[in-house]
Amino acid sequence: MSLDISPALLAQAEAGEVSQADFIETVRTSLPYAYRVVAGLREELGTTTDEFVDNNTTPTDDERAQLLRALASNAIRGSLEEHFGVKLAFVNCHRVAAFRPGAEQGDTYREFTSQRTQVLNQTPELRSC
């Protein structure tokens, strides 16, 4: 299971609307490593004029699982992007980047998310991720 859903959040969903703030809080508490990585990237992006910043730290298996769950879900990923005001990109099973919104139309984003970059970021040590 990706998220630890509280009875209150489940009741919201059953009623038809889920609060963005409540959903993000659930993501923060359910996937703390993934949330911290994105928060840190957003903070770092705010200190530079670079087109993107990335985290290429090799996580533990549990941390990697959080990243995979967060970034594989459109709802979770989209909520993180909206909450932090970034466009996320993901290569391999741990290299997460934060781009400024709208960057997905640019060459740097397209290169970061290209098949070429995926191939170049493969290593035997990460075969199981």
Side-chain angles (χ1 to χ4, degrees), residues 20-84:
Q20 171 71 0
D22 292 343
F23 187 73
I24 282 293
E25 180 59 17
T26 299
V27 171
R28 186 187 69 75
T29 58
S30 298
L31 304 171
Y33 176 78
Y35 185 92
R36 281 193 313 272
V37 167
V38 176
L41 289 170
R42 173 60 189 107
E43 184 175 326
E44 186 179 346
L45 189 62
T47 67
T48 183
T49 58
D50 293 343
E51 292 183 63
F52 75 96
V53 294
D54 65 331
N55 179 343
N56 204 16
T57 304
T58 302
T60 66
D61 286 344
D62 287 341
E63 292 167 341
R64 181 180 295 118
Q66 286 187 36
L67 287 175
L68 291 170
R69 290 195 312 269
L71 297 170
S73 164
N74 289 345
I76 297 171
R77 182 183 191 145
S79 292
L80 287 168
E81 288 175 332
E82 182 179 325
H83 179 72
F84 289 109

Side-chain angles (χ1 to χ4, degrees), residues 83-104:
H83 179 72
F84 289 109
V86 297
K87 178 65 179 170
L88 296 173
F90 192 46
V91 176
N92 241 348
C93 55
H94 67 277
R95 187 175 179 203
V96 182
F99 286 79
R100 299 177 197 292
E104 59 271 26

Side-chain angles (χ1 to χ4, degrees), residues 1-30 75-76 79:
M1 184 164 48
S2 294
L3 301 174
D4 298 321
I5 303 299
S6 70
L9 188 61
L10 180 58
Q12 282 183 36
E14 289 171 343
E17 292 295 324
V18 173
S19 156
Q20 171 71 0
D22 292 343
F23 187 73
I24 282 293
E25 180 59 17
T26 299
V27 171
R28 186 187 69 75
T29 58
S30 298
I76 297 171
S79 292

Side-chain angles (χ1 to χ4, degrees), residues 85-122:
V86 297
K87 178 65 179 170
L88 296 173
F90 192 46
V91 176
N92 241 348
C93 55
H94 67 277
R95 187 175 179 203
V96 182
F99 286 79
R100 299 177 197 292
E104 59 271 26
Q105 306 307 317
D107 292 338
T108 303
Y109 180 86
R110 284 195 296 270
E111 176 60 25
F112 188 90
T113 60
S114 71
Q115 295 167 353
R116 176 181 177 271
T117 298
Q118 182 68 45
V119 169
L120 292 173
N121 278 273
Q122 299 300 296

